[in-house]
Amino acid sequence: MYYSSILPEVIRIADEASEKALHIYQSDFKVNYKEDQSPITAADTASHEIIVKGLRNLTRDIPILSEEGAEIPWEERKHWRRFWLIDPIDGTKDFTQRTGEFTVNIAMIEDGEPVMGVVTAPALKEAFWGIKGEGASMRDRTGRIHRIRVVEPRETLRVVASKNHLNEETRTFIDSLGDHETVQAGSSLKFCRIAEGHADIYPRMGPTSEWDTAAAHAILLAAGGNVQTPQGEPLKYGKEDVLNPHFIAAGSWYF
């Protein structure tokens, strides 16, 4: 499949979902809670509906897995060689706290690997995308589009972390890196900051789900970076259990 031929439409779908999410973000929205006590707003639902409708019109034969979609049994999912994996709003805490660092995420998974990803940050007016083997790009808040790529770290490592998810195990890993400075970023933007050369490494020693990471993972891969478990295994998608293992995202210098 030639992903470059459908990428512009995927970006358009993400932009449409972003516009709707931003409209809700700027309103007096209500926060509800799922059974696991994670927050959800009207933006999650609206973004999900826009993306699913758009992707179904674009590729009717490719299944879709979304954080806000219906539970799809493993007996069905295990036969998927290729599927869309979406997180309509990643960083709902950032959304509810109005930090601006929430994202809309669309990924294509093929044989367990994220091969195309689009991430938009509606409140920051930024967008990122990439295709395996074809490179990555970003659109900045002025609307200018330029290519992005990971960089070799300077003497002081720039470690990207989240104030919402910085547990003791992650702190221990960061301390083991030696001289470093912390770059704060929310949601899937942590991967994107590495992809654009504004950070060097993102360790996550805590729970995430496949839809949280897939789109930005694809962008980082396209930009010359990588994501692996602490044991050196690649982060894979399309598993029976959608929870990710612990992982480290960085430029190729680390692996």
Side-chain angles (χ1 to χ4, degrees):
M1 186 171 187
Y2 295 100
Y3 295 118
S4 56
S5 65
I6 63 171
L7 178 60
E9 182 61 14
V10 179
I11 295 170
R12 188 202 65 76
I13 293 167
D15 282 341
E16 183 181 347
S18 296
E19 186 176 343
K20 181 64 175 179
L22 186 59
H23 178 73
I24 295 170
Y25 178 75
Q26 293 169 337
S27 72
D28 186 20
F29 60 83
K30 181 180 178 182
V31 182
N32 294 309
Y33 292 88
K34 305 179 193 177
E35 288 183 8
D36 64 359
Q37 295 306 303
S38 60
I40 184 172
T41 72
D44 296 86
T45 305
S47 178
H48 164 83
E49 291 173 352
I50 289 169
I51 294 170
V52 169
K53 180 181 178 182
L55 294 181
R56 282 182 176 154
N57 288 335
L58 181 63
T59 56
R60 295 184 182 278
D61 59 333
I62 298 179
I64 301 170
L65 181 64
S66 169
E67 180 181 12
E68 308 307 337
E71 188 76 20
I72 301 174
W74 172 243
E75 284 303 308
E76 180 180 344
R77 291 194 294 113
K78 71 180 181 181
H79 300 295
W80 293 356
R81 177 177 169 262
R82 180 188 292 128
F83 66 98
W84 293 105
L85 182 55
I86 66 177
D87 190 349
I89 298 291
D90 184 40
T92 301
K93 286 183 179 178
D94 288 290
F95 188 97
T96 59
Q97 294 168 5
R98 298 187 189 273
T99 70
E101 296 207 328
F102 63 93
T103 56
V104 173
N105 303 261
I106 305 176
M108 174 67 80
I109 307 299
E110 188 174 297
D111 296 328
E113 184 181 13
V115 294
M116 177 174 67
V118 174
V119 171
T120 63
L124 302 181
K125 295 181 168 48
E126 294 179 345
F128 303 83
W129 55 84
I131 299 174
K132 178 185 176 182
E134 297 185 24
S137 299
M138 78 165 292
R139 185 181 66 218
D140 64 28
R141 63 183 303 110
T142 70
R144 177 173 170 262
I145 296 172
H146 47 96
R147 301 281 279 185
I148 57 174
R149 189 160 182 84
V150 298
V151 297
E152 290 294 316
R154 303 172 302 188
E155 188 172 330
T156 301
L157 278 179
R158 297 166 299 170
V159 183
V160 66
S162 168
K163 55 184 178 294
N164 290 325
H165 303 287
L166 194 55
N167 61 16
E168 193 60 38
E169 193 172 354
T170 304
R171 289 179 191 274
T172 299
F173 178 89
I174 291 173
D175 289 341
S176 74
L177 295 172
D179 192 24
H180 66 272
E181 61 185 57
T182 302
V183 178
Q184 291 288 345
S187 65
S188 57
L189 286 169
K190 301 180 203 62
F191 294 85
C192 297
R193 297 304 177 221
I194 301 172
E196 67 175 331
H198 289 174
D200 300 309
I201 187 167
Y202 164 39
R204 183 59 182 263
M205 309 303 171
T208 57
S209 295
E210 291 188 357
W211 43 69
D212 294 321
T213 59
H217 183 173
I219 293 164
L220 182 55
L221 288 176
N226 207 349
V227 184
Q228 292 184 3
T229 69
Q231 294 74 37
E233 299 294 324
L235 196 63
K236 287 293 193 179
Y237 297 84
K239 309 183 303 295
E240 181 174 5
D241 184 353
V242 297
L243 290 178
N244 290 323
H246 296 176
F247 63 80
I248 300 161
S252 55
W253 60 269
Y254 180 80
F255 302 102

